[in-house]
Amino acid sequence: MSQSPTDHTDDAPPTTWKKGDPIAAEGLPTTTGDSIVGRTVTINRPAAELFAYFRDFTNLPRFMENVVSITPIDATRSHWVVKAPAGRTVEWDAVVTDETPDRVIAWTSEPSADVANSGRVEFRDAGARGTVVTATIVYDPPAGIVGKIVAKMFQREPAIQARRDLRRFKQLMETGEIATGSFTRKQHDEEFA
Amino acid sequence: MRALAWHGRHDVRVDTVDDPEILNPRDCIIKVTSTAICGSDLHLYDGYIPTMQAGDILGHEFMGEVVEIGPKSTLKKGQRVVVPFTIACGSCYHCGKHQYSACDNGLPADNQDIAQELYGQPMSGLFGYSHMTGGYAGGQAEYVRVPFSDVGPIVIPDGIEDDKVLFLSDILPTGWQAAENAQIEPGDTVAVWGCGPVGLFAVQSAFLMGAERVIAIDHFPKRLALAKRFGAETINFEESAVYEALMAMTGGIGPDAVIDSVGLEAHGFFVDNVIDQIKKSTFLGTDRAHAIRQAIIACRKGGRVSMPAVYGGLVDKFPLGAFMEKGLTLKTGQTHVQHYMPALLNAILEEKIDTTFLISHRMDLEEAPQGYKMFHDDQNEVTKVVLKPGFN
Ligand SMILES: NC(=O)c1ccc[n+]([C@@H]2O[C@H](COP(=O)([O-])OP(=O)(O)OC[C@H]3O[C@@H](n4cnc5c(N)ncnc54)[C@H](O)[C@@H]3O)[C@@H](O)[C@H]2O)c1
Ligand SMILES: [Zn+2]
Ligand SMILES: [Zn+2]
């Protein structure tokens, strides 16, 4: 049924395709799910700086709302703790599958993981405008208990969650902080709980 | 602290709420000494702006004394500052181009969703103006948390009273940007719809930019009289037919540039306006747009349309044909306040621009609900209400 990437005659990124097989076209593992989300943001900082911050996975919880912690195991493997419903957490190990300094970082959950998922972030130099950052995530669409965890992990819709996380990454990199509409510490803690 | 909170249509109250705290490194806290009610606040008061929540603190025109600073603020405690109503980071691409109201980072990430859906891209944050613009607590309060305090607030020299500089926060730069967007050339005739604070500053600015004639349109005699004070000719739309008068006053050419400083709550018994009101009350359309239609029709061929007035959603019967056929140019937007503040502060200090003429009422913050009601009900007498905590 699915068309090969070469059926596409336009230049639109695969994550925006209405037909065809964007996961294959993106070169991401289909074993980790059959839904794909792509988001692009331009950040007014050099690619090397953005890559360095992102590659240190311990930084990701600062802007990824549902990630509690990421602990490096060795040079390519890390242990992820992510928020789940009812105040619980879900954990898995992920391994880096692709890495080109200042350009690309990609990872996938190890086969033992309950919540299969993989991601790829590309950093492309955009001259005076900074760096174009594209995040692509493959996951299983919500179904059953695992699906509920995935849904929670990405809050509402994965597309919205990825967009919000990228905006926070941009804010942190461009302004050194994450914008908040709160005016008391208590409100702020609830907002980012 | 005490703060003016929105509770629903025509229901604002001074509540006791928690004091604001420093939350981000670039924040500061200011103790408000003066804050004004804006025409834009009336859109909230009348319930035209979605995503308001009961308890939201209003106010986006304010100034005061710095009382607390975050580690990355460049301000000093005790400094007097005027705060721009647009919350902008100063470090994104748009801020780099001085397009501050288009800042990428002024809005919290979650609050950007609505504008992204509605407008295609999110805009800067605004103080006290619904959750769509960030849900930031506003300045009609004793204290305010000011984000990005290293790039927003402007320091006021000692000895200059609040009333002279308060309007740097919004309406003075807005009137100035409106005139700038009209791309005035020497000898031009500029027509300004609406003699509220924005229109009156647009009138002054247009003359400073070289307009030969400015024609001001409204239906409140006192507001028209203020426009006349700065040299404008006037048209009272309840007494005269606007299009016909403009054509007669410009030798049949039409004004070279037109400025809509009325916005989504245009008054008057015009057919399109009445239809808009029916649609608004039945949720078929959101914005009443009489002034911008009339401005486009009156504008001369090849002329410029400047629209500082606020619109939020959709309008129909927009005269797109007239706009295209006559080859008009439209410039609009929330004001890039930070860009204009330094030069306009100098213009005030050099007495090139008069600001205090506008203030008709000074009241205590505690009387703010009364101030809203007066500003809403009697626009002839009430041109601008300035609230001062502890005034009484
Ligand atoms: N672009 C920005 O950044 C910015 C900033 C501040 C205010 N604003 C907007 O500018 C507009 C004006 O603000 P303001 O504080 O002067 O408001 P205001 O309500 O005090 O003034 C509006 C004036 O328009 C007049 N008017 C109404 N219908 C008219 C018509 N059909 N023809 C001519 N005049 C008419 C009213 O009588 C009133 O005097 C509002 O829409 C406000 O939201 C925009
Ligand atoms: Zn205002
Ligand atoms: Zn910015």
Side-chain angles (χ1 to χ4, degrees):
Chain A
M1 277 286 284
S2 78
Q3 297 172 324
S4 86
T6 51
D7 291 340
H8 264 264
T9 57
D10 66 10
D11 300 316
T15 52
T16 66
W17 288 0
K18 291 179 178 173
K19 54 183 190 178
D21 186 354
I23 298 178
E26 287 284 8
L28 282 157
T30 47
T31 49
T32 53
D34 56 13
S35 288
I36 186 164
V37 164
R39 286 289 166 198
T40 301
V41 70
T42 302
I43 304 182
N44 198 10
R45 306 297 309 165
E49 184 184 323
L50 301 181
F51 179 88
Y53 191 87
F54 202 101
R55 180 60 186 89
D56 179 356
F57 283 170
T58 61
N59 283 327
L60 305 193
R62 276 201 77 185
F63 58 88
M64 288 188 174
E65 198 172 9
N66 296 303
V67 179
V68 179
S69 68
I70 301 177
T71 317
I73 301 168
D74 57 36
T76 58
R77 292 189 312 134
S78 52
H79 183 72
W80 294 51
V81 180
V82 172
K83 284 178 203 163
R88 292 170 54 230
T89 54
V90 55
E91 312 193 7
W92 65 79
D93 290 345
V95 61
V96 171
T97 52
D98 189 4
E99 175 171 0
T100 312
D102 306 344
R103 288 273 303 133
V104 179
I105 179 84
W107 66 92
T108 189
S109 56
E110 295 203 314
S112 58
D114 290 334
V115 183
N117 67 91
S118 60
R120 176 184 179 85
V121 180
E122 284 185 24
F123 304 84
R124 187 164 52 76
D125 179 44
R129 287 185 183 239
T131 305
V132 174
V133 180
T134 303
T136 316
I137 292 162
V138 174
Y139 68 102
D140 272 318
I145 181 68
V146 168
K148 279 201 189 116
I149 294 168
V150 175
K152 170 65 189 175
M153 167 183 161
F154 294 111
Q155 291 260 301
R156 280 144 226 174
E157 227 192 291
I160 293 175
Q161 188 61 32
R163 188 162 79 182
R164 291 177 174 179
D165 286 348
L166 270 188
R167 287 175 186 147
R168 276 184 284 266
F169 180 47
K170 177 180 163 78
Q171 289 180 343
L172 202 51
M173 294 295 96
E174 289 186 344
T175 74
E177 56 189 51
I178 292 173
T180 170
S182 300
F183 68 98
T184 64
R185 178 60 55 192
K186 189 165 155 271
Q187 278 184 339
H188 184 257
D189 290 347
E190 282 163 12
E191 185 186 346
F192 290 93
Chain B
M1 66 167 178
R2 303 284 285 164
L4 190 277
W6 185 92
H7 286 274
R9 187 166 174 267
H10 298 167
D11 180 6
V12 292
R13 304 171 208 163
V14 180
D15 293 342
T16 299
V17 300
D18 290 335
D19 287 350
E21 295 168 88
I22 299 274
L23 299 178
N24 270 331
R26 297 167 65 183
D27 290 356
C28 79
I29 306 284
I30 72 157
K31 182 180 195 294
V32 175
T33 51
S34 297
T35 173
I37 305 175
C38 177
S40 300
D41 292 330
L42 292 181
H43 303 330
L44 301 171
Y45 190 65
D46 286 336
Y48 277 83
I49 307 291
T51 73
M52 287 296 295
Q53 291 172 13
D56 284 351
I57 299 169
L58 303 188
H60 57 268
E61 300 181 359
F62 59 97
M63 63 179 295
E65 184 195 323
V66 178
V67 290
E68 261 185 82
I69 47 170
K72 293 263 176 68
S73 175
T74 49
L75 295 171
K76 294 186 190 71
K77 283 188 199 176
Q79 281 180 323
R80 285 171 68 227
V81 293
V82 178
V83 179
F85 79 98
T86 39
I87 299 172
C89 78
S91 34
C92 71
Y93 173 79
H94 294 96
C95 285
K97 289 178 81 82
H98 282 210
Q99 294 172 336
Y100 292 98
S101 71
C103 173
D104 282 339
N105 299 315
L107 278 180
D110 296 7
N111 301 65
Q112 294 184 19
D113 290 338
I114 302 168
Q116 179 112 37
E117 295 303 325
L118 207 55
Y119 303 146
Q121 286 98 29
M123 297 298 293
S124 78
L126 307 178
F127 284 101
Y129 216 75
S130 87
H131 289 262
M132 198 169 122
T133 68
Y136 288 97
Q140 288 161 8
E142 288 182 285
Y143 297 91
V144 191
R145 167 184 166 251
V146 178
F148 306 126
S149 65
D150 53 330
V151 292
I154 189 168
V155 178
I156 303 303
D158 287 338
I160 308 296
E161 73 263 36
D162 280 16
D163 291 356
K164 269 196 163 165
V165 290
L166 173 61
F167 302 141
L168 285 169
S169 56
D170 175 355
I171 48 176
L172 173 56
T174 297
W176 184 267
Q177 180 177 289
E180 202 173 82
N181 280 345
Q183 295 174 286
I184 296 163
E185 292 166 12
D188 271 0
T189 299
V190 180
V192 178
W193 274 254
C195 296
V198 172
L200 289 167
F201 281 129
V203 169
Q204 276 197 72
S205 305
F207 278 122
L208 285 170
M209 289 178 200
E212 189 170 304
R213 296 170 68 197
V214 177
I215 303 175
I217 305 152
D218 204 302
H219 62 146
F220 294 123
K222 289 222 169 153
R223 291 184 171 210
L224 287 167
L226 288 173
K228 218 177 176 70
R229 224 177 98 161
F230 296 108
E233 300 156 63
T234 59
I235 300 174
N236 184 325
F237 67 75
E238 276 173 5
E239 296 170 10
S240 311
V242 175
Y243 168 80
E244 287 76 3
L246 282 171
M247 294 307 282
M249 291 162 87
T250 58
I253 296 170
D256 302 289
V258 296
I259 298 177
D260 170 12
S261 42
V262 176
L264 55 80
E265 294 190 57
H267 310 162
F269 194 80
F270 304 99
V271 177
D272 59 348
N273 208 359
V274 174
I275 292 171
D276 281 350
Q277 287 200 41
I278 295 166
K279 285 201 170 158
K280 162 73 190 159
S281 59
T282 54
F283 295 99
L284 290 172
T286 52
D287 295 352
R288 281 153 54 189
H290 177 74
I292 189 65
R293 293 187 186 115
Q294 197 171 57
I296 287 171
I297 299 298
C299 189
R300 79 147 159 85
K301 292 177 279 187
R304 287 93 53 189
V305 184
S306 164
M307 192 174 80
V310 164
Y311 295 89
L314 310 171
V315 294
D316 59 11
K317 299 206 185 53
F318 185 80
L320 201 55
F323 188 75
M324 182 273 160
E325 297 291 344
K326 294 203 286 183
L328 305 182
T329 305
L330 172 67
K331 284 192 150 194
T332 182
Q334 296 284 358
T335 306
H336 306 304
V337 181
Q338 288 87 335
H339 171 68
Y340 297 102
M341 275 183 146
L344 288 173
L345 173 61
N346 279 338
I348 293 169
L349 298 179
E350 290 165 10
E351 308 205 321
K352 286 189 185 140
I353 291 183
D354 183 1
T355 49
T356 50
F357 77 95
L358 197 60
I359 304 172
S360 57
H361 295 76
R362 293 173 183 82
M363 306 169 90
D364 196 296
L365 175 66
E366 294 294 327
E367 299 166 327
Q370 178 64 15
Y372 268 82
K373 191 167 166 28
M374 285 165 45
F375 189 39
H376 178 268
D377 293 350
D378 189 2
Q379 292 213 316
N380 187 41
E381 293 293 337
V382 188
T383 47
K384 195 74 181 175
V385 179
V386 174
L387 305 166
K388 293 173 191 274
F391 186 62
N392 286 344

